[in-house]
């Protein structure tokens, strides 16, 4: 199969045509690129799992064009969550709600809940509207690899596996949506993401976090898999000085490492290989995956400075720690 990369109206029209005839299409969102199929079409969903090499027990998020469509895939939600929907949807928030029977089990991995998200990216919304059906989509990377934040990243993993990549430029947010389960008495973050626990708590009063800040973990099924793995070695350094020490140690052993750090720390590192992630939290979040994609191509070890455990940088470090397989020096 040849993989086309197209942008503009032609791309959206062709994408909608492919979806309507039961195919799969990669498309941009503000978080990361998705690999979409009609959420009602079990065969098309099977093709998404096959293209990614994704385990069948990891459910997909269903993408909608507008808030009113939530009722087309779910049995509804408690009205106390409406302020959350008003504030963060469209945007990088996925809500886990009770699913409607006509959403096939393969989308939700047999769960009686479904993750719903309304992307804010204009191209994503036009694409979903043109398809006129809810679009089930995981991130458009091979399973276990780094999520794609550009059409080029998608192509590197999906060339020959998907007929069309709709190019909407670089993703603005840069890491995946926050997954929030609102089916129980207390809302629980199953996957930290671009909308932070603090932002959700501001709206709802409180929230349980995945990493047990308030209660024990209640992981999304996908959280148990190794994720965001670069093809090279990766470690987290607890400070910029320990990053430099690790760098020197690796060079002495004949390695070719690189340090990923806040841009203001590049000066401290001296004349060694570094990639600046930016200065403010949004910029760092936007750049993290692109930096890892670039680093794994040119170096044999990524040494990432620890960026903290709260707010948006806490969500970024959730991903980096997975890439490092928990290795901290
Ligand atoms: O930003 C995003 O969320 C991107 C873009 C494309 O929308 N999508 C994405 O999908 O990251 P994926 O499949 O790579 O990750 C979805 C996560 C997985 O951890 C999965 O287990 C969890 O959401 N999830 C989906 N449906 C769920 C459900 N019903 N209950 C619990 N967790 C669910
Ligand atoms: Mg993913």
């Amino acid at each position: 199969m040849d993989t086309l990369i197209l942008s503009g109206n032609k791309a959206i029209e062709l994408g909608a045509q492919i979806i309507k005839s039961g195919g799969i299409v990669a498309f941009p969102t503000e978080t990361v690129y998705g690999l979409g199929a009609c959420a009602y079409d079990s065969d098309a969903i099977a093709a998404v799992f096959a293209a990614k090499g994704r385990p069948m027990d990891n459910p997909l998020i269903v993408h909608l064009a507008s808030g009113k469509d939530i009722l087309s895939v779910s049995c509804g939600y408690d009205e106390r969550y409406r302020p959350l929907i008003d504030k963060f949807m469209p945007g990088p928030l996925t809500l886990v709600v009770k699913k409607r029977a006509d959403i096939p089990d393969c989308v939700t991995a047999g769960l009686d809940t479904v993750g719903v998200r309304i992307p804010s990216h204009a191209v994503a919304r036009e694409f979903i509207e043109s398809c006129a059906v809810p679009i089930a989509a995981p991130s458009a990377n091979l399973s276990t690899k780094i999520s794609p934040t550009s059409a080029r990243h998608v192509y590197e993993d999906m060339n020959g596996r998907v007929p069309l990549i709709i190019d909407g430029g670089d993703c603005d947010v840069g890491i995946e949506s926050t997954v929030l389960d609102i089916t129980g008495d207390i809302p629980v973050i199953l996957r930290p993401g671009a909308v932070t626990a603090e932002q959700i708590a501001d709206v709802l009063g409180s929230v349980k976090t995945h990493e047990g800040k308030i209660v024990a973990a209640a992981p999304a099924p996908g959280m148990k898999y190794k994720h965001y793995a670069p093809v090279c070695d990766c470690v987290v350094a607890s400070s910029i000085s320990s990053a430099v020490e690790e760098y020197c140690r690796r060079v002495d052993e004949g390695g070719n490492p690189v340090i990923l750090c806040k841009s203001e720390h590049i000066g401290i590192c001296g004349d060694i290989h570094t990639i600046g992630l930016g200065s403010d939290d949004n910029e760092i979040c936007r750049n993290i995956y692109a930096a890892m994609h670039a680093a794994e191509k040119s170096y044999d070890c990524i040494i990432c400075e620890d960026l903290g455990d709260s707010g948006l940088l806490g969500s970024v470090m959730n991903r980096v720690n997975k890439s490092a397989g928990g290795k901290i020096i």
Side-chain angles (χ1 to χ4, degrees):
M1 175 196 299
D2 288 334
T3 297
L4 284 175
I5 304 180
L6 295 175
S7 58
N9 286 342
K10 239 179 78 187
I12 290 172
E13 271 167 37
L14 178 60
Q17 214 178 309
I18 293 171
I19 294 290
K20 285 175 186 164
S21 56
I24 64 175
V25 173
F27 64 100
T29 83
E30 71 280 14
T31 56
V32 300
Y33 274 69
L35 184 63
C38 169
Y40 299 125
D41 182 340
S42 303
D43 292 340
I45 300 299
V48 168
F49 278 91
K52 269 186 73 90
R54 179 173 174 114
M56 294 299 292
D57 66 348
N58 192 5
L60 306 186
I61 293 170
V62 173
H63 297 70
L64 307 167
S66 93
K68 64 182 182 337
D69 297 338
I70 294 179
L71 293 177
S72 68
V73 297
S74 84
C75 310
Y77 48 85
D78 194 309
E79 270 304 308
R80 71 186 147 127
Y81 295 112
R82 178 161 297 281
L84 205 59
I85 294 171
D86 291 343
K87 176 132 197 198
F88 296 116
M89 299 173 90
L93 177 67
T94 295
L95 292 181
V96 172
V97 290
K98 288 282 176 205
K99 92 173 180 83
R100 261 174 59 151
D102 47 359
I103 296 294
D105 283 344
C106 56
V107 171
T108 62
L111 298 173
D112 64 354
T113 56
V114 59
V116 292
R117 174 159 123 71
I118 305 163
S120 61
H121 195 294
V123 175
R125 301 190 63 187
E126 273 175 54
F127 169 60
I128 298 164
E129 262 165 31
S130 306
C131 294
V133 286
I135 298 294
S139 49
N141 51 286
L142 288 175
S143 193
T144 81
K145 300 298 182 207
I146 304 167
S147 297
T149 58
S150 69
R152 169 60 42 187
H153 295 158
V154 178
Y155 188 78
E156 283 164 8
D157 272 15
M158 289 295 157
N159 181 19
R161 293 170 178 262
V162 58
L164 173 66
I165 300 168
I166 301 176
D167 188 350
D170 293 346
C171 300
D172 237 19
V173 172
I175 64 167
E176 298 84 348
S177 63
T178 303
V179 179
L180 181 72
D181 184 349
I182 57 165
T183 60
D185 288 341
I186 302 171
V188 183
I189 294 175
L190 303 182
R191 177 178 70 179
V195 176
T196 64
E198 291 83 352
Q199 285 175 304
I200 294 170
D202 270 353
V203 175
L204 296 181
S206 67
V207 64
K208 285 188 188 176
T209 68
H210 158 61
E211 264 156 348
K213 273 189 199 158
I214 300 170
V215 291
M223 297 292 283
K224 69 175 180 282
Y225 293 107
K226 189 176 179 203
H227 264 115
Y228 317 106
V231 292
C232 67
D233 203 7
C234 180
V235 296
V236 171
S238 52
S239 66
I240 193 66
S241 54
S242 69
V244 174
E245 275 166 31
E246 180 68 8
Y247 182 98
C248 295
R249 202 181 62 74
R250 298 239 172 198
V251 169
D252 285 347
E253 287 173 357
N256 180 28
V258 63
I259 293 176
L260 270 51
C261 60
K262 287 188 174 174
S263 294
E264 58 262 37
H265 288 164
I266 290 178
I268 307 173
C269 292
D271 188 19
I272 62 179
H273 293 135
T274 52
I275 298 179
L277 295 169
S279 296
D280 71 67
D281 295 8
N282 291 324
E283 192 185 3
I284 291 171
C285 186
R286 187 159 59 239
N287 289 336
I288 187 70
Y289 284 153
M292 287 169 68
H293 277 287
E296 70 174 3
K297 291 194 183 79
S298 304
Y299 301 96
D300 64 13
C301 176
I302 296 171
I303 304 167
C304 185
E305 174 188 12
D306 190 355
L307 303 166
D309 61 3
S310 64
L312 192 56
L313 293 185
S315 297
V316 169
M317 286 312 293
N318 168 269
R319 308 303 194 270
V320 176
N321 281 315
K322 278 168 186 280
S323 295
K327 274 181 285 177
I328 301 178
I329 47 111

